[in-house]
Amino acid sequence: MVKKIFTDDDGKLDVLSDLTIGVIGYGNQGRAQALNMRDSGLKIIIGNKKDEFKRIAESDCFDVFSIDEAAKLSDILFLLIPDEIMKEVYEKNIEDNFKENGALVFASGYNIAFNIIKPSKNYDILLIAPRMIGRGVRERYLTKEGFYSFIHVENDSSGKATDILLALCKSIGTLTKGAIDVSFKQEAVLDLFNEQAFGPAFGRVLLTSIYTLIDAGYPEEAVLIEMFMSEEMSYTYKKMAQVGLVKQVEFHSQTSQYGAMSRGIKFRKLPLKETMKEILENIESGNFAEEWKKKTSKAKFEFIKFFATKTRINRLEQEVRKKLKMKVIDDDYQEPTITDPSVLKEIKTELDEFEKYFQDF
Ligand code: NDP
């Protein structure tokens, strides 16, 4: 169990008065966190390239600088750009420009946990990782509902890192709900595990349910509506968080409760634990992070995404969505072209396996 859940009384905004906070990146998290901090009375500038995101930041009335310039002008710097390009941006634009004893803030533990970025010991290294998409970070600040975050001080160079961290958390709006101290590594592993174990296992269960019904002759539209398009499942998920995993069953009929609870026992031997442990160990050891750095993994990823768009379930869903006059997002994804034959040779056997695997979908 964690020792404490930090809430609004733990953050004192006056620690941040007179400091300039630079937000690098104005995407999902960047925009939401910058707007929240400004509404909390802090001085915010944005660092971004000259493009669409810059235009949006300017239309939100922020002063926008190049990333180098924003790093020079800031006392605290939020790195809110995609994790996979952060190392390059850090090394090229930030480490020579950002001042000693400044605070670097990460929204994900990934790059520090797996030693991809090795920042100077002369910075405070802070983690504020919202358990919420950017849009929710903004909406829940405005409604004062708040959202959970995982937070941590990895390095305290200024001697005030904890006070700064908690003040920043308060200004973003996360303390209204609660923040929990977990290490960068724990945050990264939890996040990756959810994506790599729970996500695909859940996907497999969902698909098996869909095809069991379709193969038994039930109309495709009805099956997809029943299984996920109605949003009943997402409502159930919300209720799990609000009242509890078991308690939420009371929102369902007696027949539903009896059926679900009495049949659950049939699935108790699903061989999930071993595979999940294997995935967890692969993440914890850093093997996943090493794999994802490779050129071959980027190539493999392009192909896997292509195979996913060609699956039966994807075509079926597009047809059903059209019939139901629902929004159809065009995913006309072209077969990737890999120019380096050695990359293709290295991943050929694996790609054949993935292609076959996706044919079942
Ligand atoms: P986004 O993909 O929304 O980031 C987009 C921003 O990054 C834009 O400003 C974009 O500007 C900039 N960017 C992209 N490529 C580059 C580049 N090569 N050089 C410089 N800037 C670049 O990121 P998120 O907000 O999704 O993620 C930011 C951080 O927040 C990550 O650490 C992520 O793990 C974490 N996080 C994300 C959550 C989410 O819901 N998305 C939830 C919790 C944490 P431009 O295109 O102009 O370069």
Side-chain angles (χ1 to χ4, degrees):
M1 288 283 194
V2 291
K3 284 191 211 105
K4 180 172 164 70
I5 298 193
F6 295 94
T7 53
D8 266 327
D9 290 342
D10 297 306
K12 305 281 177 273
L13 286 183
D14 51 8
V15 183
L16 304 172
S17 52
D18 304 327
L19 299 183
T20 298
I21 300 173
V23 174
I24 306 298
Y26 203 70
N28 296 313
Q29 289 294 329
R31 179 167 191 260
Q33 296 195 25
L35 289 170
N36 291 3
M37 288 192 283
R38 182 172 67 185
D39 287 353
S40 295
L42 305 184
K43 185 180 172 204
I44 309 298
I45 61 169
I46 307 298
N48 207 92
K49 284 192 290 194
K50 287 187 192 138
D51 68 358
E52 185 60 14
F53 290 102
K54 176 174 193 251
R55 202 191 52 71
I56 299 170
E58 283 171 343
S59 69
D60 286 338
C61 301
F62 281 109
D63 289 331
V64 186
F65 300 88
S66 70
I67 298 178
D68 292 59
E69 203 62 30
K72 275 184 202 154
L73 292 170
S74 301
D75 303 292
I76 296 171
L77 206 56
F78 279 68
L79 298 182
L80 298 179
I81 55 180
D83 292 318
E84 56 278 11
I85 50 101
M86 211 179 271
K87 176 184 165 71
E88 191 189 328
V89 172
Y90 175 78
E91 288 174 358
K92 200 166 109 205
N93 308 105
I94 292 172
E95 67 182 350
D96 291 337
N97 291 314
F98 191 43
K99 61 176 66 159
E100 279 197 12
N101 290 329
L104 271 185
V105 188
F106 293 80
S108 142
Y110 190 85
N111 281 298
I112 298 293
F114 299 113
N115 292 317
I116 296 167
I117 295 179
K118 298 178 187 101
S120 155
K121 289 281 169 214
N122 295 327
Y123 300 147
D124 289 351
I125 305 296
L126 310 180
L127 175 70
I128 305 176
R131 303 344 265 168
M132 183 55 61
I133 58 167
R135 187 171 288 203
V137 165
R138 181 62 181 154
E139 283 169 8
R140 284 160 179 250
Y141 175 87
L142 293 172
T143 59
K144 299 193 174 18
E145 192 182 344
F147 50 91
Y148 289 113
S149 291
F150 293 158
I151 64 169
H152 193 63
V153 173
E154 180 75 9
N155 192 50
D156 184 358
S157 164
S158 66
K160 293 184 286 191
T162 301
D163 291 345
I164 291 173
L165 175 75
L166 291 171
L168 291 171
C169 286
K170 184 177 175 103
S171 74
I172 290 165
T174 185
L175 295 188
T176 316
K177 189 82 164 190
I180 295 171
D181 190 336
V182 302
S183 69
F184 274 68
K185 179 87 181 262
Q186 287 172 328
E187 189 282 335
V189 172
L190 288 170
D191 195 39
L192 294 173
F193 181 80
N194 194 355
E195 292 158 4
Q196 294 179 25
F198 176 74
F202 175 75
R204 196 77 218 173
V205 170
L206 182 61
L207 267 186
T208 308
S209 310
I210 289 172
Y211 286 138
T212 302
L213 292 167
I214 289 177
D215 294 347
Y218 291 84
E220 290 152 349
E221 297 85 338
V223 171
L224 297 198
I225 288 173
E226 180 64 35
M227 295 309 302
F228 69 98
M229 278 183 179
S230 66
E231 298 184 19
E232 195 182 359
M233 269 313 287
S234 43
Y235 180 80
T236 299
Y237 242 79
K238 197 166 183 172
K239 289 293 160 202
M240 283 180 197
Q242 286 172 349
V243 302
L245 267 175
V246 175
K247 195 76 183 156
Q248 64 79 27
V249 298
E250 287 171 19
F251 293 107
H252 304 271
S253 70
Q254 297 285 311
T255 314
S256 153
Q257 290 182 38
Y258 171 72
M261 289 175 173
S262 63
R263 286 346 186 230
I265 201 164
K266 290 186 185 293
F267 295 100
R268 75 185 185 281
K269 286 192 179 151
L270 277 184
L272 293 176
K273 193 73 180 278
E274 282 310 306
T275 308
M276 289 204 174
K277 272 172 66 184
E278 196 187 304
I279 287 173
L280 180 62
E281 280 158 20
N282 182 263
I283 297 168
E284 286 174 333
S285 64
N287 286 348
F288 171 77
E290 282 305 314
E291 177 186 327
W292 182 225
K293 276 184 201 162
K294 291 183 190 161
K295 212 160 89 177
T296 46
S297 299
K298 306 280 184 296
K300 203 159 67 181
F301 176 47
E302 292 299 311
F303 275 99
I304 297 173
K305 269 200 332 201
F306 172 68
F307 296 149
T309 62
K310 302 291 159 212
T311 49
R312 177 180 164 204
I313 188 66
N314 199 39
R315 289 195 307 272
L316 186 75
E317 192 188 345
Q318 302 287 42
E319 282 163 26
V320 168
R321 281 180 177 272
K322 272 183 209 147
K323 273 198 220 155
L324 297 173
K325 302 203 178 351
M326 290 173 81
K327 193 170 170 186
V328 180
I329 296 162
D330 188 21
D331 61 354
D332 189 18
Y333 198 75
Q334 299 301 313
E335 179 157 7
T337 42
I338 307 282
T339 45
D340 184 345
S342 67
V343 170
L344 206 51
K345 196 171 164 212
E346 208 179 310
I347 57 176
K348 173 90 181 65
T349 316
E350 254 188 293
L351 285 186
D352 288 346
E353 267 181 53
F354 276 115
E355 193 166 14
K356 265 197 233 123
Y357 167 72
F358 278 103
Q359 279 163 5
D360 286 356
F361 271 55

